[in-house]
Amino acid sequence: MSGPYLIRGSVSLPEAELHWRFSRSSGPGGQHVNTSDSQVELRFDLANTTALPPVWKDRALARLAGRLVDGMVVVRASEHRSQWRNRETAAVRLAALLAEATAPPPKPRTPTRIPRGINERRLREKKQRSDTKRGRSGRDWS
């Protein structure tokens, strides 16, 4: 595996808290698929982790509540034929999921008013366009 997976800043996923399970992938693949356990299931105990700061942990637990199974985040990967590449994919996917879940909430939008001049110009141009179109009708030509 290619080292620690950064979540954000200096916080990374500790290898000791990652639980791996391997099984046979479904789908076509010939004889190789019948003999190798290439599908990867990565479990991370989010509820009991010590790797995340408490604020991040609470935020992630709230945002991933629908995805948690007994406080654990589960990520599966079976896109590749090799177990090693599926392990890499699952770990990167888990790190990205936690980075998104622990991100601070966006700043609230401050409502702004449309300047009066812009609204007046819009209405003036609308009136000019209306006059142009009204001038095209043949009613006033008698």
Side-chain angles (χ1 to χ4, degrees):
M1 302 247 337
S2 65
Y5 294 95
L6 289 178
I7 295 175
R8 197 170 58 250
S10 63
V11 178
S12 62
L13 288 173
E15 188 66 35
E17 293 187 17
L18 300 178
H19 305 285
W20 301 94
R21 257 184 58 194
F22 307 102
S23 60
R24 294 188 179 141
S25 293
S26 62
Q31 296 162 345
H32 174 73
V33 87
N34 298 330
T35 59
S36 65
D37 293 341
S38 60
Q39 178 175 320
V40 173
E41 181 178 284
L42 175 58
R43 293 176 170 266
F44 180 69
D45 194 356
L46 185 59
N48 299 322
T49 186
T50 58
L52 297 177
V55 176
W56 288 17
K57 186 171 158 182
D58 294 340
R59 200 180 290 155
L61 284 170
R63 289 186 182 166
L64 297 175
R67 218 190 140 137
L68 296 177
V69 178
D70 296 330
M72 304 208 36
V73 180
V74 180
V75 175
R76 283 194 183 95
S78 61
E79 294 86 37
H80 306 291
R81 288 185 61 176
S82 77
Q83 185 186 100
W84 183 81
R85 287 181 67 191
N86 282 332
R87 283 175 65 117
E88 290 285 318
T89 303
V92 168
R93 200 179 296 162
L94 178 64
L97 181 70
L98 289 175
E100 185 179 330
T102 59
K107 285 193 269 185
R109 181 185 172 273
T110 55
T112 57
R113 289 188 58 210
I114 298 173
R116 193 173 74 210
I118 290 178
N119 204 25
E120 288 175 354
R121 185 178 70 202
R122 180 184 65 84
L123 293 174
R124 188 172 57 247
E125 289 172 357
K126 193 171 176 177
K127 179 75 173 148
Q128 286 175 350
R129 183 76 177 150
S130 171
D131 291 342
T132 301
K133 288 190 171 190
R134 196 173 336 114
R136 290 179 185 160
S137 67
R139 284 186 291 161
D140 297 339
W141 289 8
S142 48

